[in-house]
Amino acid sequence: MTPEGLKFISKTLKPLVNYHFLYYKTDKVEYPYWVGEYLESEYSAETNYQETTFILTGVTRGSYLELEKQKEIIKKALKDKRSILPSGTGIAVYFDYSMPIRVDDIELQKIQINLTIQEWEV
């Protein structure tokens, strides 16, 4: 995943939800929050194409419904989300699926959203 792609995801999510990349970086925890990470697939040097699975994990100490509502906001914002980045790289983001995550702490609720991100570098 390119740094430009990470910035694109961040700029898309931060106005919608309390989003952070890799770690929740703040002194005071504000729920719900979302943390993103990614897993790259094989890169094609021939076509300069990279596909990435981007994993968003939502966490709250409130109602699970709170996470479901934010999931829908994210889903709508990323529907057919495509752009040409400043470097000329093309990016497309697709919502794949979501699932609740079971946690031993009964007060803590989690959900995972998996996105597919496709990037074509020039």
Side-chain angles (χ1 to χ4, degrees):
M1 176 148 213
T2 64
E4 256 190 324
L6 287 171
K7 187 175 179 181
F8 177 79
I9 293 297
S10 181
K11 285 176 73 174
T12 302
L13 293 175
K14 281 193 175 195
L16 304 173
V17 295
N18 183 9
Y19 168 77
H20 299 262
F21 178 69
L22 213 48
Y23 299 100
Y24 185 73
K25 303 172 195 162
T26 185
D27 293 335
K28 184 180 176 191
V29 178
E30 293 181 34
Y31 295 101
Y33 66 84
W34 294 81
V35 176
E37 57 190 294
Y38 64 89
L39 173 65
E40 291 180 330
S41 302
E42 186 176 335
Y43 174 76
S44 170
E46 184 177 321
T47 60
N48 288 326
Y49 172 78
Q50 176 76 57
E51 187 169 295
T52 302
T53 298
F54 198 87
I55 303 161
L56 281 171
T57 304
V59 180
T60 191
R61 287 210 175 267
S63 165
Y64 180 77
L65 186 58
E66 204 175 11
L67 294 174
E68 283 291 335
K69 288 178 181 177
Q70 287 196 347
K71 177 191 79 175
E72 289 303 313
I73 291 168
I74 292 168
K75 194 174 185 179
K76 286 178 185 173
L78 296 177
K79 185 177 181 180
D80 291 328
K81 186 77 170 175
R82 301 174 203 169
S83 186
I84 302 297
L85 303 174
S87 69
T89 298
I91 190 168
V93 182
Y94 303 97
F95 183 97
D96 279 336
Y97 64 90
S98 69
M99 62 185 192
I101 299 173
R102 194 172 328 167
V103 182
D104 288 337
D105 182 346
I106 197 155
E107 293 179 14
L108 196 64
Q109 310 293 323
K110 286 187 173 187
I111 189 170
Q112 178 178 315
I113 297 174
N114 284 25
L115 309 171
T116 295
I117 299 175
Q118 300 171 324
E119 294 179 278
W120 295 267
E121 292 183 77
V122 291

